[in-house]
């Protein structure tokens, strides 16, 4: 247990004074009294956690330290000493002798082909459980077990690897000691909960059943506690069966570790397409929480560099994530910024005229949606609007084809709007230091396959242009803006920022997953994006 680390106790280490936490000090005293001198490894002593390079070197070794240790000791603290009367007290020599006796029983069972279940009763006696007290389930013993199960020790993340890698485990609390199996037996006898040590024991039992993949470990232990957020990932890597070669570096930012994990999983085909967004969201919640997070580390100012060496065009690269996108439609007009639509009546009128020109047959629905959009912008503060969409350009560019009808519409929109676009918006030359809210613009969109367009407008990144496609990815309300460079047979695609539709800005449409079923198969597009774009979608 961490214990009260503020209270430091002095020990002699290589003849020099060294200070440790009170709980470790108690553990060392307990082990000294328990038997013969023995070498002991404790991370608080053996690793200088203030030295990041040393920490990086030591972390990959920890899994082997616990794996090769003769015994891993679980020290729960001396506060349980008051329960000494209800249990048989054992020294470490007695535990060792009983473990030897148990080994002999096991060997005998194997030699006679006797099922190991048949030796459960002798095992209980050999491991030092007061069988009579256990069978009678006396109140004092039950109270002790309930307190043991509620001990915050079991919520610590690092114990999952430490106990999971151990060959032999000894549980020590107060003046008591028992091996792991005996401990689980007595806990099971008095406790119906599946949490605490019983949850950890189930994890150990499933060790070779496929549950010790990095993805499963992260999912199952997302509530485990650690002081360093990086340990949410690093603390489970040593136990994961599929995480050999995982890059560990405490100098990296949380965003970098998020990207490392996503790309590590992707390059080893450990992430099915359907899990990319949910897993990315899980990682983000583990490392950063539910807030937007340090987006400035993920987003770099965009520069017009069409032939940049940073662009990845190799679809087999581990940095390329492949998803299915639903094409909501083509942008047919870009309006004023969110600030201009409120501050300038003239801009508001021009925007209303644009709506009238493009939605003559759906004018009532279009004006209703526009009123909702205006009220939402008016009622939102700058900070809220700044988190609406992002001017992020993916460094993945790929080739593909569109449905013929959508291609024709796209060409028409580009030709029709090219002159107006060139005069009214100098995209790529805006000041990147401006707040995102100032750089966000209103947009109109039409679906060329439909008689009606259910989602007509919203707020888009400053990089959006008429003729861009707006796409949804399953599991994320924020839309992607897709720039298409038309070719004779194939077209080039690249993500140019994000957007939100009116319903999503207003109340985060709870029916997002349902509305994706509205699309036909021909309106899907094979999307290729980088990890940063996934993070931006989840922000």
């Amino acid at each position: 247990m961490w214990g009260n680390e503020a209270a430091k106790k002095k020990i002699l280490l290589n003849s020099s004074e060294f200070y440790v936490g009170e709980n470790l000090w108690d553990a060392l005293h307990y082990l000294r009294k328990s038997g013969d001198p023995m070498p002991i490894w404790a991370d608080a002593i053996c690793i200088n956690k203030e030295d990041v390079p040393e920490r990086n070197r030591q972390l990959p070794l920890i899994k082997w330290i616990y794996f090769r240790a003769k015994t891993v000791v679980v020290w729960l603290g001396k506060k349980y000493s008051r329960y000494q009367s209800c249990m048989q007290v054992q020294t470490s020599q007695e535990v060792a002798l009983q473990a030897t006796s148990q080994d002999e029983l096991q060997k005998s069972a194997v030699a006679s082909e006797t099922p190991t279940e048949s030796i459960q009763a002798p095992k209980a006696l050999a491991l030092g459980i007061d069988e009579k007290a256990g069978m009678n389930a006396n109140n004092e013993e039950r109270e002790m077990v309930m307190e043991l199960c509620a001990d915050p020790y079991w919520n610590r993340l690092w114990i999952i690897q430490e106990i999971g890698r151990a060959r032999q485990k000894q549980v020590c609390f107060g003046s008591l000691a028992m091996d792991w199996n005996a401990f689980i037996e007595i806990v099971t006898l008095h406790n119906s909960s599946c949490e605490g040590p019983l949850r950890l024991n189930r994890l150990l039992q499933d060790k070779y059943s496929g549950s010790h993949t990095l993805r499963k470990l992260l999912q199952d232990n997302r509530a485990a506690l650690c002081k360093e957020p990086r340990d949410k990932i690093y603390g489970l890597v040593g136990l994961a069966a599929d995480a050999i070669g995982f890059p560990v570096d405490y100098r990296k930012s949380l965003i970098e570790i998020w990207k490392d994990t996503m790309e590590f999983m992707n390059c080893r085909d450990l992430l099915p397409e359907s899990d990319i967004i949910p897993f990315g969201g899980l990682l983000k919640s583990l490392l950063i929480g539910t807030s937007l997070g340090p987006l400035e580390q993920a987003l770099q100012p965009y520069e017009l560099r069409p032939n940049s060496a940073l662009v990845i065009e190799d679809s087999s690269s581990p940095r390329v994530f492949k998803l299915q996108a639903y094409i909501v439609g083509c942008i047919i007009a870009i309006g004023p910024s969110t600030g201009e639509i409120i501050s300038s009546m003239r801009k508001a009128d021009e925007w209303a005229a644009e709506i009238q020109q493009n939605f003559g047959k759906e004018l009532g629905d279009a004006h209703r949606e526009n009123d909702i959009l205006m009220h939402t912008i008016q009622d939102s503060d700058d900070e809220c609007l700044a988190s609406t969409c992002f001017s992020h350009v993916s460094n993945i560019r790929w080739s593909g084809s569109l449905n013929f009808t959508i291609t024709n519409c796209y060409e028409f929109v580009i030709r029709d709007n090219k002159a107006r676009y060139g005069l009214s918006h100098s995209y790529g030359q805006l000041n990147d230091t401006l707040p995102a809210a100032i750089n966000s613009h209103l947009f109109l969109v039409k679906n060329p396959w439909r008689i009606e367009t259910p989602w007509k407008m919203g707020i888009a990144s400053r990089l959006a242009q008429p003729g861009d496609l707006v796409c949804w990815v399953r599991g994320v309300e924020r839309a992607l803006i897709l720039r298409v460079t038309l070719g004779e047979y194939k077209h080039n695609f690249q993500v140019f920022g994000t957007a939100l539709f009116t319903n999503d800005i207003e109340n985060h449409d709870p029916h997002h997953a349902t509305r994706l079923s509205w699309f036909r198969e021909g309106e899907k597009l094979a999307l290729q994006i980088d990890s940063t774009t996934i993070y931006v979608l989840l922000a």
Side-chain angles (χ1 to χ4, degrees):
M1 269 299 292
W2 288 320
N4 180 10
E5 295 189 57
K8 294 296 184 180
K9 298 284 189 176
K10 182 173 67 175
I11 65 172
L12 286 179
L13 186 63
N14 296 335
S15 302
S16 299
E17 291 185 358
F18 188 83
Y19 289 86
V20 298
E22 184 174 15
N23 209 38
L24 176 54
W25 193 83
D26 290 339
L28 292 173
H29 270 261
Y30 171 85
L31 292 170
R32 165 177 272 188
K33 295 175 183 177
S34 296
D36 296 331
M38 67 187 86
I40 297 170
W41 188 94
D43 63 347
I45 297 175
C46 298
I47 299 177
N48 179 6
K49 295 185 178 180
E50 302 302 318
D51 185 335
V52 174
E54 178 182 339
R55 200 173 181 182
N56 290 340
R57 289 192 303 272
Q58 292 285 348
L59 186 63
L61 303 178
I62 290 180
K63 65 179 182 180
W64 295 115
I65 291 172
Y66 283 92
F67 180 78
R68 296 182 179 188
K70 180 178 180 181
T71 303
V72 171
V73 177
V74 174
W75 169 252
L76 296 174
K78 66 178 183 181
K79 62 183 178 180
Y80 295 99
S81 298
R82 64 183 183 277
Y83 295 112
Q84 181 173 342
S85 61
C86 74
M87 296 290 291
Q88 178 180 334
V89 181
Q90 294 183 293
T91 66
S92 61
Q93 295 103 317
E94 290 171 331
V95 171
L97 286 171
Q98 291 164 359
T100 302
S101 300
Q102 177 61 18
D103 287 342
E104 292 173 355
L105 283 168
Q106 294 282 4
K107 291 176 183 176
S108 175
V110 172
S112 62
E113 297 186 357
T114 303
T116 54
E117 287 78 7
S118 65
I119 60 169
Q120 289 302 305
K123 182 180 72 171
L125 293 174
L127 293 173
I129 297 178
D130 185 336
E131 190 175 30
K132 183 178 180 180
M135 294 299 292
N136 293 335
N138 63 69
N139 292 333
E140 186 178 6
E141 188 173 291
R142 184 181 300 109
E143 180 184 345
M144 178 190 72
V145 169
M146 296 304 291
E147 185 175 345
L148 283 168
C149 290
D151 198 303
Y153 171 85
W154 306 112
N155 297 326
R156 288 183 55 223
L157 183 135
W158 275 104
I159 67 165
I160 300 167
Q161 176 179 249
E162 294 164 359
I163 293 177
R165 295 284 293 176
R167 177 174 52 175
Q168 178 173 302
K169 297 170 284 292
Q170 181 179 349
V171 184
C172 303
F173 46 99
S175 301
L176 308 175
M178 59 180 65
D179 98 326
W180 179 260
N181 292 333
F183 178 72
I184 292 300
E185 281 187 16
I186 196 169
V187 166
T188 304
L189 182 66
H190 295 298
N191 182 40
S192 59
S193 170
C194 295
E195 296 304 310
L198 295 182
R199 183 184 66 84
L200 187 56
N201 192 58
R202 284 199 312 277
L203 184 68
L204 298 179
Q205 292 173 341
D206 295 338
K207 184 174 182 179
Y208 302 111
S209 64
S211 66
H212 280 205
T213 64
L214 182 57
R215 181 174 54 161
K216 190 74 165 57
L217 287 169
L218 291 171
Q219 290 170 340
D220 292 347
N221 299 285
R222 54 187 177 273
L225 303 178
C226 56
K227 295 180 180 180
E228 164 61 73
R230 293 163 180 81
D231 288 341
K232 282 283 190 176
I233 311 299
Y234 293 164
L236 295 172
V237 165
L239 189 58
D242 56 358
I244 302 298
F246 189 96
V248 173
D249 191 344
Y250 281 94
R251 294 168 296 187
K252 290 187 175 182
S253 68
L254 298 178
I255 289 284
E256 288 175 308
I257 295 171
W258 185 92
K259 292 169 69 175
D260 279 351
T261 309
M262 290 293 291
E263 292 175 5
F264 179 88
M265 300 287 285
N266 189 47
C267 73
R268 286 162 176 76
D269 295 324
L270 300 175
L271 272 185
E273 180 187 309
S274 59
D275 283 354
I276 289 175
I277 295 297
F279 183 74
L282 170 67
L283 279 184
K284 181 178 177 296
S285 67
L286 291 174
L287 287 166
I288 299 165
T290 56
S291 63
L292 290 180
L295 275 170
E296 69 280 356
Q297 297 179 29
L299 302 177
Q300 300 298 324
Y302 173 62
E303 299 176 16
L304 289 174
R305 294 175 297 182
N307 297 315
S308 172
L310 297 176
V311 172
I312 299 172
E313 296 181 322
D314 178 9
S315 61
S316 64
S317 168
R319 298 173 63 186
V320 175
F321 292 80
K322 298 176 182 179
L323 294 168
Q324 286 290 318
Y326 298 82
I327 304 173
V328 185
C330 293
I331 294 179
I332 56 174
I334 295 293
S337 71
T338 52
E340 290 173 330
I341 198 70
I342 298 301
S343 63
S344 171
M345 302 303 173
R346 180 179 61 83
K347 294 283 188 181
D349 281 339
E350 290 175 354
W351 177 244
E354 192 77 63
I355 293 173
Q356 179 177 313
Q357 178 183 342
N358 287 286
F359 292 102
K361 295 181 179 180
E362 301 177 77
L363 198 55
D365 289 340
H367 277 311
R368 181 187 298 112
E369 185 173 344
N370 185 53
D371 286 346
I372 294 172
L373 182 59
M374 295 305 101
H375 287 147
T376 303
I377 294 173
Q378 184 176 337
D379 296 339
S380 300
D381 56 27
D382 289 342
E383 183 178 353
C384 178
L385 290 175
S387 64
T388 300
C389 54
F390 306 102
S391 298
H392 163 71
V393 178
S394 171
N395 62 358
I396 308 295
R397 184 191 296 147
W398 77 98
S399 296
S401 59
L402 279 172
N403 178 279
F404 181 74
T405 307
I406 296 179
T407 301
N408 283 351
C409 174
Y410 185 87
E411 292 173 341
F412 172 78
V413 172
I414 283 293
R415 284 197 307 269
D416 189 51
N417 290 278
K418 188 173 182 180
R420 179 174 54 172
Y421 159 71
L423 290 173
S424 60
H425 297 286
S426 300
Y427 294 101
Q429 298 175 13
L430 293 175
N431 185 353
D432 280 303
T433 62
L434 290 175
I438 297 176
N439 286 335
S440 299
H441 289 258
L442 280 63
F443 71 92
L444 297 179
V445 70
K446 267 193 174 181
N447 188 306
W449 278 18
R450 306 289 179 164
I451 298 175
E452 296 181 350
T453 301
W455 306 281
K456 299 175 176 62
M457 64 191 71
I459 300 175
S461 136
R462 66 177 181 81
L463 300 175
Q465 298 177 3
D468 287 345
L469 298 181
V470 183
C471 305
W472 274 324
V473 173
R474 186 174 293 279
V476 187
E477 292 177 0
R478 184 171 279 110
L480 287 174
I481 298 169
L482 203 59
R483 182 71 40 82
V484 183
T485 305
L486 296 173
E488 186 175 357
Y489 300 108
K490 292 285 186 178
H491 315 306
N492 287 329
F493 298 87
Q494 193 170 1
V495 171
F496 267 68
T498 65
L500 275 178
F501 285 89
T502 303
N503 288 350
D504 301 319
I505 301 169
E506 180 194 22
N507 55 15
H508 298 288
D509 191 343
H511 305 295
H512 176 70
T514 304
R515 65 188 178 186
L516 293 182
S517 62
W518 180 82
F519 295 93
R520 301 169 188 167
E521 192 64 29
E523 292 170 286
K524 289 184 180 180
L525 177 67
L527 195 71
Q528 296 184 19
I529 56 179
D530 57 1
S531 58
T532 302
T533 304
I534 297 173
Y535 185 85
V536 169
L537 278 174
L538 296 169

